[in-house]
Amino acid sequence: MGAMLRKLRIMQNARGTVRLIEVVFPEHTNHYGTLFGGQALQLLSKAAFLSGRSFARSDVVMARCGEVLFHAPVRLGSTLVLDTQVSRVGRSSLTVRVAGSVQDVATEALTRVLDGEFEMVAVDAAGRPVRLASPPCLHEETFEETV
Amino acid sequence: MGAMLRKLRIMQNARGTVRLIEVVFPEHTNHYGTLFGGQALQLLSKAAFLSGRSFARSDVVMARCGEVLFHAPVRLGSTLVLDTQVSRVGRSSLTVRVAGSVQDVATEALTRVLDGEFEMVAVDAAGRPVRLASPPCLHEETFEETV
Amino acid sequence: MGAMLRKLRIMQNARGTVRLIEVVFPEHTNHYGTLFGGQALQLLSKAAFLSGRSFARSDVVMARCGEVLFHAPVRLGSTLVLDTQVSRVGRSSLTVRVAGSVQDVATEALTRVLDGEFEMVAVDAAGRPVRLASPPCLHEETFEETV
Amino acid sequence: MGAMLRKLRIMQNARGTVRLIEVVFPEHTNHYGTLFGGQALQLLSKAAFLSGRSFARSDVVMARCGEVLFHAPVRLGSTLVLDTQVSRVGRSSLTVRVAGSVQDVATEALTRVLDGEFEMVAVDAAGRPVRLASPPCLHEETFEETV
Amino acid sequence: MGAMLRKLRIMQNARGTVRLIEVVFPEHTNHYGTLFGGQALQLLSKAAFLSGRSFARSDVVMARCGEVLFHAPVRLGSTLVLDTQVSRVGRSSLTVRVAGSVQDVATEALTRVLDGEFEMVAVDAAGRPVRLASPPCLHEETFEETV
Amino acid sequence: MGAMLRKLRIMQNARGTVRLIEVVFPEHTNHYGTLFGGQALQLLSKAAFLSGRSFARSDVVMARCGEVLFHAPVRLGSTLVLDTQVSRVGRSSLTVRVAGSVQDVATEALTRVLDGEFEMVAVDAAGRPVRLASPPCLHEETFEETV
């Protein structure tokens, strides 16, 4: 159990691990009064961008959006928490997993509502792909437990 | 060749086939002056929503975003054309493919820049899944040629 | 009847004839829960811009908005369909008619809710008016029937 | 000249005479870096709405946009001043003229760039037209000079 | 009483005294259906910017937001009136007071809902502070009465 | 030094301590290409709202914006990091301090650009102030060091 705690601590400090928090306002909703799917994808994309930029320490662009699952509708006024992790590192591209959860106002308990995966490419000022500088090693097997 | 033309005509009238056109304005761009990936996903989602609603003849919600590929950056001021097709019909869900192209101003030629797939679920006024009414048959093999 | 169909086909291919589709979301509405008049004008303007750019095969700017009629309020969640036609072609300017209709979700029937007219001017990269290149002839009398 | 000044004072207190001021930010611009025509129409509509509501002392909806002229492009960062006047009063509708000017930062001189006319209808809480309560008399001939 | 009226007239012509009017639309509201505090601050900032620019006759940037009080919630659909006054003039900075009021639709009576203070700095085209050109004298004691 | 580290850990878990991350996009900028002051205040307000809601475990509204300082302009494309702390707890109100920093892409070093203070009031579903439930004790003296 001590080992598991240590792993958790490492991951929270891991490069590319960022947390975004957003309030769902009327400007984000559809005509059902819930978060519009397209707005959800935009928020996940912003999280993936920030995660990729933090990991690569350079600008990044989106090359591919992998599967994104919408588990439940997100109501107007909700606190939406987005957590990212870098799950794969290539020569100039990397994969970011983003988990979206609604945070209960009274208990702060998180309920997972969104899961997505994005592939970002590190670019230079002219927009050309650049090699990722000294990627730190990743222990992907531990990611599954902590998402 | 006459047969192929007939197929094309059928598909252009097919339920769920819609075309969205958008101009890329500063509000859609990132700090590179090109369409932000998250905005692209939002536009594709709107196309998938309208396609699903047109096919189902009822309201729909997004259940899943399949793979989306970003082939090339889309510059400020571009005309972006999004074309949808329904590629799979289930009991209450359906899959929409969306192809995004930049239209050249001088020649009107289309260059494919985005490809995505979205799964939509038909819902009633209370947001509960409903059975799709009499799905028209789809000839999926012909879709590949016409995207 | 064969002749009428042929005319219809020609018009669907006519330069400058574009169709925009939009969902009315909370960000477009006023405090009555219907499409704000100013947002309607913005959507019509975008349609006129795309129509003019498609016809002129060059960039265009708006010089004049003619009369726009609001026949009925447009409710939150509506599918709004905007159809354009070029009704007049001058030396460097052209007139675009835009018809806006709400599409019924269950029947896909269109109900006309907006009618507008916009004058666009073709411009070069420096924003100076340019002569419209070889304007194709227009058969305005057939437009009336197909709006 | 004293008479003219008195007329001016009356008009500045006239019901339905409002002034809106706006800064042109990137969110309002097109890909030329100037105010998008559709955004200009939206700002004019907001001015017409506020003018009509102030005159009618009840809510109003837009029934018709008359001619709007775009005299010159409006650059990013400009101060845009919109002045309204009620030029016609009917049973339940009224006409609002809106003049848009760019204000020079150094001299505060106004240069007219937009002119429009909007017809608004007074409505009750259910959106039904209501009779305008005791319309104050208008001296339209003096309006022409002061726009 | 004649003296008081004269003072009022002077102040209405005072440099930097501007009035902004806004309708509260769904895009400005939070999940309570009232104006979001952050949106209120953005509107006050725009008023302070325009006031500062008008006074300085040059571009300005915000250096400091002083205390802002929210006296009452502002409902969707309200007419919000923002009035500014320059209350302090320094070498290159000035202080703008902004008062926000809701205007009753039926009576046009104003109810104060917001009070704020902003410090703006005059800048040249490169963003460097510049000395304020010949600041007109201010009679701050009269401002208190007219806010 | 061990004691100091312990304090830091406690504060990172403290109720009401949240971190928001944002990318500065064209929609947030003024005509100088930097973050508009009003947009900065809106982002700080969102952080204060989320911090207050997390601390109070109930909904909150903004009652007062204290002083906000703008230390430096924030360029388009910047990563803006907002950190909050609850610095005062009253019967139904609390004060949130928000610190905004630009994060360097290459080094991830933070440069402080914004400092603000907001007073939030806990409210029930009807918008009436409610007593804060069992406020955890605050050690304000340690906050100064960790901002």
Side-chain angles (χ1 to χ4, degrees), chain F:
Chain F
M1 188 181 157
M4 196 187 72
L5 284 176
R6 197 172 315 182
K7 281 182 191 169
L8 282 166
R9 204 170 338 126
I10 288 164
M11 284 179 295
Q12 288 186 344
N13 293 322
R15 268 171 77 170
T17 303
V18 300
R19 167 171 278 199
L20 267 73
I21 313 178
E22 192 66 53
V23 200
V24 178
F25 275 167
E27 62 178 320
H28 304 115
T29 59
N30 52 28
H31 55 296
Y32 315 124
T34 58
L35 180 65
F36 172 53
Q39 277 285 350
L41 290 173
Q42 179 153 9
L43 294 174
L44 292 168
S45 300
K46 193 166 66 175
F49 171 82
L50 284 165
S51 172
R53 181 148 87 164
S54 171
F55 186 91
R57 306 262 163 118
S58 75
D59 255 320
V60 294
V61 294
M62 194 180 292
R64 180 181 161 274
C65 162
E67 189 177 58
V68 179
L69 297 173
F70 297 77
H71 306 305
V74 180
R75 276 204 293 266
L76 176 65
S78 298
T79 299
L80 184 64
V81 177
L82 303 178
D83 286 300
T84 75
Q85 286 181 328
V86 174
S87 61
R88 186 195 61 84
V89 179
R91 193 180 171 89
S92 64
S93 74
L94 52 89
T95 302
V96 181
R97 290 190 193 158
V98 189
S101 304
V102 166
Q103 189 169 37
D104 185 86
V105 171
T107 66
E108 300 234 304
L110 295 173
T111 304
R112 186 75 69 88
V113 289
L114 293 164
D115 269 296
E117 199 178 85
F118 298 85
E119 190 181 317
M120 313 301 292
V121 174
V123 292
D124 63 16
R128 283 174 308 228
V130 292
R131 190 162 185 169
L132 283 166
S134 58
C137 61
L138 294 171
H139 307 284
E140 193 171 354
E141 75 282 6
T142 66
F143 286 164
E144 296 309 305
E145 306 173 291
T146 63
V147 174

Side-chain angles (χ1 to χ4, degrees), chain C residues 32 42 60 64-65 67-68, chain D residues 32 42 60 64-65 67-68:
Chain C
Y32 314 125
Q42 179 152 10
V60 293
R64 178 179 161 276
C65 162
E67 189 177 57
V68 179
Chain D
Y32 314 124
Q42 180 153 11
V60 294
R64 181 180 159 275
C65 162
E67 189 176 58
V68 180

Side-chain angles (χ1 to χ4, degrees), chain C residues 41-61:
Chain C
L41 290 173
Q42 179 152 10
L43 294 174
L44 292 168
S45 300
K46 193 167 66 176
F49 170 80
L50 284 165
S51 173
R53 181 148 87 165
S54 172
F55 186 92
R57 308 263 163 114
S58 75
D59 255 322
V60 293
V61 294

Side-chain angles (χ1 to χ4, degrees), chain A residues 11-126:
Chain A
M11 284 179 293
Q12 287 186 345
N13 293 322
R15 268 173 75 173
T17 302
V18 300
R19 168 172 277 200
L20 268 73
I21 312 179
E22 191 66 52
V23 202
V24 178
F25 275 167
E27 63 179 318
H28 304 115
T29 59
N30 52 28
H31 55 296
Y32 315 124
T34 57
L35 179 64
F36 172 52
Q39 277 284 350
L41 291 173
Q42 180 153 10
L43 294 173
L44 292 168
S45 300
K46 194 166 64 176
F49 171 81
L50 284 164
S51 172
R53 181 148 85 165
S54 171
F55 186 92
R57 308 263 163 117
S58 76
D59 255 321
V60 293
V61 294
M62 193 180 295
R64 180 180 160 274
C65 162
E67 189 176 59
V68 179
L69 297 173
F70 297 77
H71 305 306
V74 180
R75 276 204 292 265
L76 177 66
S78 299
T79 300
L80 184 64
V81 177
L82 303 179
D83 287 300
T84 75
Q85 286 181 329
V86 174
S87 61
R88 185 195 63 83
V89 180
R91 193 181 173 89
S92 65
S93 74
L94 51 88
T95 302
V96 181
R97 290 189 193 162
V98 189
S101 304
V102 167
Q103 191 169 36
D104 185 86
V105 171
T107 65
E108 300 233 304
L110 295 174
T111 303
R112 186 76 68 86
V113 290
L114 292 165
D115 270 295
E117 199 177 84
F118 297 86
E119 190 179 319
M120 313 301 293
V121 174
V123 292
D124 62 17

Side-chain angles (χ1 to χ4, degrees), chain B residues 2 15 22 32 39-40 52-53 62 64-65 69-70 81 86 99 101 105 110 124 137:
Chain B
R15 270 172 75 173
E22 192 66 54
Y32 315 124
Q39 277 285 349
R53 181 147 88 164
M62 194 180 293
R64 180 181 160 274
C65 161
L69 297 173
F70 297 76
V81 177
V86 174
S101 304
V105 171
L110 295 173
D124 62 17
C137 60

Side-chain angles (χ1 to χ4, degrees), chain B residues 96-108:
Chain B
V96 180
R97 291 189 193 159
V98 189
S101 304
V102 167
Q103 189 168 38
D104 185 86
V105 171
T107 66
E108 300 234 302

